[in-house]
């Protein structure tokens, strides 16, 4: 599953790479430490084997040796050391934790015949020095002659000389020893490192449980187990911050795009201090905005010019038709034709007026003549026509009295007329209209609700689009151009307010006009 966040993917990928590298380095380091400690243990076992097999020991020696042996390997409990001593084919000492799985016989090597070592001397258990191996002795110098008898003789006395012992008194050769290679035995109590030594005096097998190394390595393991998660966390945090810093140009570009609207097409993003990888993207965006702004201005200027140019001929045409209608014979076909033409001209005049206002709003040039208005009075005046236009509808008013506002009377009246006309046109037979005003904080909220058919979700999203008409099944041939709501919202925005479609229950439509009260000041 692909993670949707680029920053999160970078952080995870960095943590994975760093974790793999750290795990590999830690594993190799751990193995090197372990092998180094194992070599030290092997050397210590070999030293013990060599020293203890180099000479004959009394029988009581091995009990004492087993007690002090544990200290050599860093364990005072004697549970991790095992000792086996064999002399003349008999086991003269065996540790309690010695196990048959050690099988030391395969490591005991045979020695050469002792008769082949003529000078080999087996020391006695009670003697530390052999009578056949006297130490070198210094013989006293010969007596000096008398001065009288030494006249005429050289003055320097002769140097003392050492007597060489006979060949049979020379030091004996060292006893032969064979120390086996150390092997690892796996038993039910764990892995043991074992070595053996064979000498003319004794056969010794020493086994050390590898737990002594595991205990020492546990400290290194704890260091790795603590340092690795912390390192990975730091790596993720660093990658998160680094990717966030790298994506700042994208975030800035997104904020710029968010500000782009019909009145903000002049938005651009600077390429100063940008990374090379983002320069081309920002340049393409700026070029696109230039083309879009130029095209929009051309379209807006065309709409404004066309509406402005049509305004005067339509006014003249409407005046001429009204004059001709007055002169036409009452009830004649000519009067009906002129009346129909006058209605169509009125519609065209309404369209051109709205297009002109929308083009001015798009260009940010809508002229709003703000004066102090009694908004409640305007609303009451407009609602008086509801009874004439739709006598079958029930009307409920909940209007706050004497609510005053600074605004353009003509534009705000047009907004209210659009909303109320829609409430009448899209109402149900014998339906209802509810108009309510509220003051909330710094806002004046005017809600116009009516009974109606439900609006589909697709129409709700596009209800304020220009020239958009809802589902024909809902329109039922109702006249309209799809410009009223769009123009009403533009007028509300020009008054620092807004117009929104409310979420309502089934069978009801509700619009709320919001005007900021700070505009009253």
């Amino acid at each position: 599953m692909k993670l949707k966040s680029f920053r999160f993917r970078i952080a995870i990928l960095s943590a994975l790479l760093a974790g793999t590298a750290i795990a590999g380095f830690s594993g190799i380091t751990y193995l090197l430490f372990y092998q180094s400690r194992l070599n030290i243990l092997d050397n210590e076992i070999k030293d013990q084997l060599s020293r203890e097999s180099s000479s004959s020991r009394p029988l009581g020696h091995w009990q004492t040796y087993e007690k002090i042996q544990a200290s050599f390997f860093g364990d005072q409990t004697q549970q991790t050391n095992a000792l086996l001593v064999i002399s003349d084919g008999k086991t003269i000492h065996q540790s309690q934790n010695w196990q048959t799985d050690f099988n030391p016989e395969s490591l005991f090597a045979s020695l050469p015949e002792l008769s082949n070592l003529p000078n080999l001397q087996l020391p006695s258990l009670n003697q530390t020095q052999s009578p056949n191996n006297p130490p070198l002795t210094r013989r006293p110098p010969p007596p000096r002659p008398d001065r009288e008898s030494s006249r005429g003789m050289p003055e320097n006395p002769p140097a003392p000389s050492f007597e060489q012992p006979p060949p049979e008194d020379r030091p004996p050769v060292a006893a032969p020893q064979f120390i086996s290679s150390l092997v690892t035995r796996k038993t039910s109590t764990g892995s043991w490192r074992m070595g053996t030594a064979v000498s003319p005096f004794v056969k010794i097998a020493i086994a050390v449980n590898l737990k002594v190394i595991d205990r020492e390595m546990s400290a290194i393991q704890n260091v790795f187990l603590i340092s690795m998660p912390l390192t990975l966390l730091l790596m993720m945090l660093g990658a998160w911050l680094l990717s966030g810093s790298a994506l700042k140009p994208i975030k800035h570009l997104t904020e710029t795009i968010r500000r782009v609207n019909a009145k903000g097409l002049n938005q651009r993003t600077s390429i100063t201090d940008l990374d090379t990888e983002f320069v081309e993207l920002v340049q393409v965006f700026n070029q696109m905005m230039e083309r879009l702004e130029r095209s929009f201005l051309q379209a807006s200027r065309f709409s404004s010019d066309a509406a402005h140019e049509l305004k005067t001929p339509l006014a003249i045409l409407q005046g001429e038709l009204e004059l001709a209608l007055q002169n036409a014979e009452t009830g004649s076909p000519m009067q009906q034709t002129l009346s129909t033409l006058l209605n169509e001209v009125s519609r065209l005049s309404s369209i051109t007026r709205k297009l002109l206002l929308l083009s001015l709003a798009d260009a940010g040039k809508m002229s709003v003549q703000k004066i102090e208005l009694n908004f409640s009075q305007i609303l009451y005046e407009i609602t008086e026509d509801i009874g004439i236009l739709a006598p079958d509808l029930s009307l409920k008013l909940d209007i706050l009295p004497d609510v005053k506002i600074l605004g353009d009377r003509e534009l705000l009246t047009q907004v209210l007329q659009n909303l109320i006309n829609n409430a009448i046109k899209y109402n149900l037979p014998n339906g209802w209209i509810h108009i309510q005003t509220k003051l909330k904080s710094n806002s004046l909220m005017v809600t116009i609700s009516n009974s109606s058919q439900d609006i589909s979700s697709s129409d709700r999203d596009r209800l304020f689009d220009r020239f958009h008409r809802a589902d024909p099944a809902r329109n039922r041939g109702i006249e309209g151009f799809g410009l009223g709501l769009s123009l009403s919202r533009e007028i509300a925005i020009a008054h620092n307010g807004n117009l929104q479609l409310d979420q309502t229950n089934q069978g009801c439509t509700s619009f709320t006009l919001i005007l900021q009260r700070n505009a009253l000041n």
Side-chain angles (χ1 to χ4, degrees):
M1 182 180 67
K2 182 179 179 180
L3 299 175
K4 293 184 178 180
S5 173
F6 176 75
R7 292 184 66 184
F8 194 63
R9 289 204 305 273
I10 290 294
I12 293 294
L13 181 61
S14 301
L16 289 177
L17 293 177
T20 304
I22 294 174
F25 175 77
S26 301
I28 294 174
T29 304
Y30 180 85
L31 292 177
L32 292 177
F33 273 114
Y34 189 89
Q35 188 62 42
S36 173
R37 188 63 188 88
L38 188 63
N39 291 336
I40 294 175
L41 178 63
D42 290 350
N43 293 332
E44 185 64 29
I45 293 175
K46 288 180 179 178
D47 289 344
Q48 294 292 322
L49 291 171
S50 176
R51 183 167 57 251
E52 296 303 321
S53 63
S54 62
S55 60
S56 178
R57 307 289 184 181
L59 293 177
H61 166 77
W62 302 109
Q63 294 287 344
T64 306
Y65 171 70
E66 186 178 6
K67 294 179 181 178
I68 64 174
Q69 179 197 21
S71 62
F72 295 147
F73 303 108
D75 181 35
Q76 304 297 334
T77 62
Q78 302 181 19
Q79 298 298 321
T80 58
N81 305 307
L83 176 65
L84 176 66
V85 182
I86 300 175
S87 178
D88 295 333
K90 297 180 180 178
T91 301
I92 60 175
H93 182 80
Q94 178 175 323
S95 301
Q96 293 182 354
N97 53 356
W98 183 266
Q99 302 178 32
T100 56
D101 295 339
F102 289 156
N103 188 23
E105 288 76 11
S106 62
L107 300 178
F108 287 141
S110 60
L111 294 175
E113 294 295 334
L114 299 182
S115 58
N116 296 332
L117 303 172
N119 294 324
L120 175 64
Q121 183 177 8
L122 301 179
S124 173
L125 296 177
N126 299 322
Q127 290 181 318
T128 57
Q129 183 176 340
S130 173
N132 297 327
N133 188 18
L136 292 176
T137 58
R138 183 175 181 178
R139 296 187 176 183
R144 299 183 61 178
D146 297 336
R147 290 182 179 272
E148 297 297 334
S149 60
S150 62
R151 290 179 181 176
M153 299 296 290
E155 295 182 355
N156 294 329
S161 61
F162 292 91
E163 182 180 356
Q164 295 296 328
E168 59 273 13
D169 294 339
R170 293 178 182 176
V173 298
Q177 289 177 295
F178 178 80
I179 299 176
S180 67
S181 300
L182 273 74
V183 296
T184 300
R185 300 294 195 198
K186 292 185 177 179
T187 66
S188 58
T189 57
S191 298
W192 295 73
R193 196 67 173 170
M194 188 183 71
T196 62
V198 178
S199 72
F201 315 106
V202 73
K203 293 181 179 179
I204 302 176
I206 296 177
V208 179
N209 198 314
L210 293 181
K211 288 181 179 177
V212 296
I213 298 180
D214 295 339
R215 281 198 294 267
E216 295 180 3
M217 296 303 294
S218 63
I220 299 177
Q221 284 182 341
N222 293 334
V223 171
F224 286 155
L225 291 177
I226 295 174
S227 62
M228 285 184 64
L230 291 177
T231 304
L232 293 180
L233 186 61
L234 291 176
M235 286 296 299
M236 288 186 65
L237 181 61
W240 178 267
L241 296 177
L242 185 62
S243 59
S245 176
L247 291 176
K248 276 186 178 179
I250 299 296
K251 184 178 181 181
H252 181 64
L253 186 62
T254 303
E255 293 174 352
T256 303
I257 294 174
R258 188 175 289 117
R259 292 194 299 269
V260 173
N261 51 35
K263 299 177 182 178
L265 293 175
N266 58 347
Q267 298 292 328
R268 302 291 186 274
T269 299
S270 174
I271 61 174
T272 306
D273 298 332
L274 278 181
D275 296 331
T276 307
E277 292 78 5
F278 297 105
V279 170
E280 184 176 0
L281 174 63
V282 173
Q283 288 177 340
V284 171
F285 169 76
N286 289 337
Q287 293 171 1
M288 181 193 70
M289 290 303 301
E290 290 177 2
R291 294 194 299 270
L292 186 61
E293 182 182 16
R294 186 165 54 250
S295 300
F296 188 83
L297 289 177
Q298 290 177 352
S300 178
R301 189 179 300 112
F302 173 79
S303 299
S304 178
D305 293 344
H308 185 74
E309 293 297 328
L310 288 174
K311 185 177 178 180
T312 302
L314 287 175
I316 296 173
L317 183 59
Q318 184 176 3
E320 293 294 334
L321 287 174
E322 289 175 350
L323 181 61
L325 185 61
Q326 292 176 359
N327 297 328
E329 184 179 353
T330 304
S332 63
M334 178 61 69
Q335 186 185 33
Q336 295 179 356
T337 302
L338 292 175
S339 178
T340 303
L341 291 176
L342 184 59
N343 291 334
E344 295 299 326
V345 170
S346 298
R347 293 183 58 193
L348 287 175
S349 299
S350 177
I351 293 174
T352 54
R353 184 173 63 257
K354 291 179 179 178
L355 286 177
L356 180 59
L357 288 175
L358 287 172
S359 62
L360 292 175
D362 293 340
K365 298 179 180 178
M366 179 180 284
S367 177
V368 179
Q369 304 294 330
K370 290 185 178 180
I371 58 175
E372 183 175 336
L373 303 174
N374 189 331
F375 192 84
S376 300
Q377 182 180 0
I378 296 175
L379 196 54
Y380 276 122
E381 292 175 356
I382 296 175
T383 56
E384 289 176 355
D385 298 333
I386 296 178
I388 301 174
L389 298 174
D392 58 327
L393 299 179
S394 62
L395 177 63
K396 180 180 179 181
L397 300 180
D398 190 4
I399 302 175
L400 297 175
D402 296 329
V403 176
K404 295 184 179 179
I405 186 174
L406 283 179
D408 191 301
R409 182 184 182 89
E410 182 179 357
L411 294 179
L412 291 179
T413 300
Q414 185 170 0
V415 172
L416 295 175
Q417 286 178 341
N418 286 337
L419 295 177
I420 292 176
N421 286 338
N422 285 341
I424 295 174
K425 289 190 295 184
Y426 296 99
N427 214 314
L428 299 176
N430 300 319
W432 51 268
I433 296 177
H434 183 201
I435 300 176
Q436 183 182 26
T437 60
K438 291 182 181 177
L439 293 177
K440 184 176 182 181
S441 184
N442 291 324
S443 300
L444 167 63
M445 306 179 70
V446 183
T447 302
I448 301 176
S449 308
N450 63 278
S451 57
S452 68
Q453 295 183 4
D454 296 332
I455 302 177
S456 64
S457 58
S458 58
D459 286 334
R460 293 180 67 90
D461 295 336
R462 301 188 56 194
L463 207 57
F464 292 96
D465 291 351
R466 296 174 187 179
F467 296 106
H468 173 73
R469 299 297 306 277
D471 187 358
R474 184 174 183 272
N475 290 333
R476 295 173 304 176
I478 299 174
E479 293 183 354
F481 317 109
L483 293 175
L485 289 178
S486 177
L487 178 60
S488 297
R489 172 176 277 184
E490 293 295 340
I491 293 174
I493 293 175
H495 284 79
N496 298 323
N498 195 11
L499 177 63
Q500 64 185 23
L501 176 63
D502 302 328
Q503 295 290 341
T504 57
N505 298 325
Q506 190 174 6
C508 177
T509 302
S510 176
F511 289 91
T512 298
L513 173 65
I514 303 173
L515 298 173
Q516 297 298 320
R517 293 208 66 193
N518 53 13
L520 305 177
N521 301 324

